[in-house]
Each structure stands twice: as C-alpha cells, then as structure tokens.
C-alpha cells in the first residue's frame, strides 16, 4: 500500500535521486522532508505496526517487503537506500544489508547516537531485553518503558507495575498498569508518573535522542535504570548520525 503524504508534488530537479528510506523514526521523517524539498524522489517505507503514524513528505508505503529478497526486488527502481529504522529494528537492518549487497545499491544506516550516563545516574546495562528481565533482582516497583515488543519477557514478573507503549502488548505482567501514549514526554509528567507508581526501577532501551525526560527524572529520584544496549549494525555498514548527514550522503554519492 502506498500514499502521497506531502500534499503537493514538487518537480524533480536535474540530478535528483530515487531514494528509499526505511523509516519509522523522527530522523527518517526529517530526512524525507529535506530530500523532498530539494527535489529528490523519496519513498518512505513504514512497518505498518502503528496506527495513525506520523507521515513524512513524499511517497509512503506500509507493510513488509517479504524479507531481504523482497526488498532487493523493490530496489530495482531505486538509486539509494537509507536505513533510518529504530535502532532496535535489527532484522530490518539485516535485510537492508543483504538486499543492498545483492543489488549493488549504495546504502547507509542513519542512527542517532545512544545515551551516555551522567553524574548521578544509576544505570545497569544489559545486552538484550530478555537479559533485562533476569537483571531485576529485588526491584520492588518496575516501569517498563520498552514499547510493546519484548513485554512478554516480563509476563510472569509481579514487580512490574507500569507498562507504557503506543500500542497494547500481547501480554501484560499480572500487576501492571498499562499506559498507551506516544512521546516525547515532558519532564514534569515523568516525575509525576514515577512518584504516583512509586517506581524504583525503569527498564528502557538505549534508543538515543537529544533529550530523554524519563532518564532525567530517574536521575533526580535515584531510580535505577536497566538499559538495554542497542544491537550492533552489520559489519562494514556506513553509519551517519543525523538527517542532515544522511542528506549529505545522498547528494554526494555518485550515480
């Protein structure tokens, strides 16, 4: 399925590129908006798991490709591929690497930097969401801030009191309160949420971003943060850390 999200079709300038953006992040939307404004033909692909997603400029398609082979077939009419998916969308990034290798289409990974601990943070880093469930120990009141995927690892844990996601997870821990909300979240609201539910431990993914209110609120309150490390991108992948850098890559990569 595809739709035109930009509202107005802009003429393509000479030398414009046909770019496929694997999206779903704020950086992907920013990149699509920038490239479309500059006259490039941009198609953003969304996984289709979230209702009413925020749409970027240009053409938008929703749903999977059918694995790396399906993505490779879609690249036959594409000049450049930008993987701007969520830092934890490891399967899609693997498919992008394999499809680009099979077709010879140049590709780049757009990943915002991860978070760095600040003075006062009480962080425990773990390699996977499953490992986070095993690292809770004697935590008394846990806030799962990992989205809907991965909540099943915590389904039997009675100390999970709060789960926040955009869409409902398939299962909930027995004593968990579900909050359906889409960020970004204000710092005062995060402070109030931690206090209301008497949270002593947060489980979060190292998604990165310029600011993250829940981490600041946790630092102030002395709350422990179990932080899941992001998966490493495929070996040899070129990585840029901003939409501006990705736009520069698009416009500097030879035809």
């Amino acid at each position: 399925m595809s739709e035109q999200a930009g509202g107005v079709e802009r003429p393509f300038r000479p030398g414009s590129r046909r770019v496929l953006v694997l999206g779903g992040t704020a950086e992907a939307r920013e990149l699509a908006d920038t490239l479309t404004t500059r006259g490039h033909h941009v198609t953003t692909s969304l996984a289709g798991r979230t209702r009413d997603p925020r749409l970027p400029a240009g053409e938008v398609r929703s749903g999977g490709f059918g694995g790396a082979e399906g993505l490779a077939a879609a690249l036959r009419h594409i000049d450049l591929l930008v993987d701007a998916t969520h830092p934890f969308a490891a399967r899609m990034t693997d498919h992008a690497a394999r499809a680009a290798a099979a077709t010879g289409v140049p590709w780049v990974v757009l990943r915002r930097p991860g978070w760095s601990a600040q003075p006062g943070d009480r962080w425990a880093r773990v390699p996977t969401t499953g490992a986070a469930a095993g690292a809770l120990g004697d935590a008394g009141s846990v806030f799962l801030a990992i989205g809907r995927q991965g909540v099943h690892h915590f389904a039997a844990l009675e100390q999970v009191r709060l789960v926040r996601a955009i869409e409902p997870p398939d299962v909930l821990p027995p004593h968990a309160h579900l909050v359906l909300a889409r960020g970004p979240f204000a710092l005062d609201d995060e402070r109030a949420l931690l206090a209301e539910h008497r949270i002593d431990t947060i489980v979060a993914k190292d998604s990165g971003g310029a600011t993250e209110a829940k981490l600041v609120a946790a630092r102030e309150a002395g709350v422990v943060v179990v932080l899941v490390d992001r998966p490493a991108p495929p070996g040899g992948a070129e990585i840029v850390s901003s939409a501006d850098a990705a736009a520069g890559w698009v416009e500097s990569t030879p035809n």
Side-chain angles (χ1 to χ4, degrees):
M1 181 180 71
S2 66
E3 55 190 291
Q4 191 73 25
V8 177
E9 291 193 16
R10 298 177 175 88
F12 299 143
R13 63 173 173 78
S16 65
R17 317 303 297 277
R18 298 169 300 174
V19 183
L20 175 60
V21 177
L22 306 179
T25 61
E27 291 80 12
R29 291 191 299 274
E30 181 182 350
L31 175 62
D33 293 350
T34 297
L35 292 179
T36 301
T37 299
R38 295 181 184 179
H40 297 284
H41 185 178
V42 181
T43 300
T44 299
S45 176
L46 302 177
R49 298 191 183 99
T50 302
R51 291 191 296 268
D52 299 322
R54 298 169 181 168
L55 298 179
E59 184 177 340
V60 177
R61 71 175 305 280
S62 181
F65 290 93
E69 294 78 10
L71 178 55
L75 292 180
R76 285 181 292 190
H77 304 291
I78 293 295
D79 299 317
L80 300 169
L81 172 65
V82 180
D83 172 17
T85 55
H86 191 276
F88 283 80
R91 179 178 297 179
M92 192 68 243
T93 298
D94 175 67
H95 290 173
R98 291 163 53 194
T103 60
V105 171
W107 78 300
V108 71
V109 178
L110 168 54
R111 290 286 183 274
R112 57 182 177 256
W115 291 311
S116 298
Q118 304 298 315
D121 283 329
R122 301 175 63 196
W123 288 6
R125 285 190 173 271
V126 294
T128 64
T129 307
L136 292 179
D138 59 357
S141 184
V142 177
F143 170 20
L144 295 187
I146 58 173
R148 67 182 297 271
Q149 297 187 29
V151 173
H152 63 279
H153 290 294
F154 304 83
L157 300 184
E158 297 188 357
Q159 66 261 57
V160 176
R161 304 294 174 163
L162 182 63
V163 175
R164 184 168 66 194
I166 298 174
E167 304 285 348
D170 294 333
V171 296
L172 275 177
H175 302 299
H177 174 71
L178 176 63
V179 174
L180 297 179
R182 187 197 302 267
F185 302 102
L187 178 55
D188 283 345
D189 291 339
E190 296 294 71
R191 290 168 174 153
L193 195 67
L194 298 186
E196 177 186 355
H197 295 274
R198 299 181 180 180
I199 299 299
D200 59 35
T201 306
I202 298 174
V203 179
K205 295 177 177 179
D206 187 6
S207 301
T211 60
E212 185 46 68
K214 66 175 173 282
L215 299 181
V216 176
R219 182 186 311 132
E220 294 175 348
V223 169
V224 173
V225 177
V226 179
L227 197 62
V228 182
D229 285 329
R230 56 178 61 182
E238 184 173 355
I239 302 172
V240 295
S241 59
S242 69
D244 283 345
W249 176 87
V250 167
E251 298 194 320
S252 64
T253 300
N255 284 313

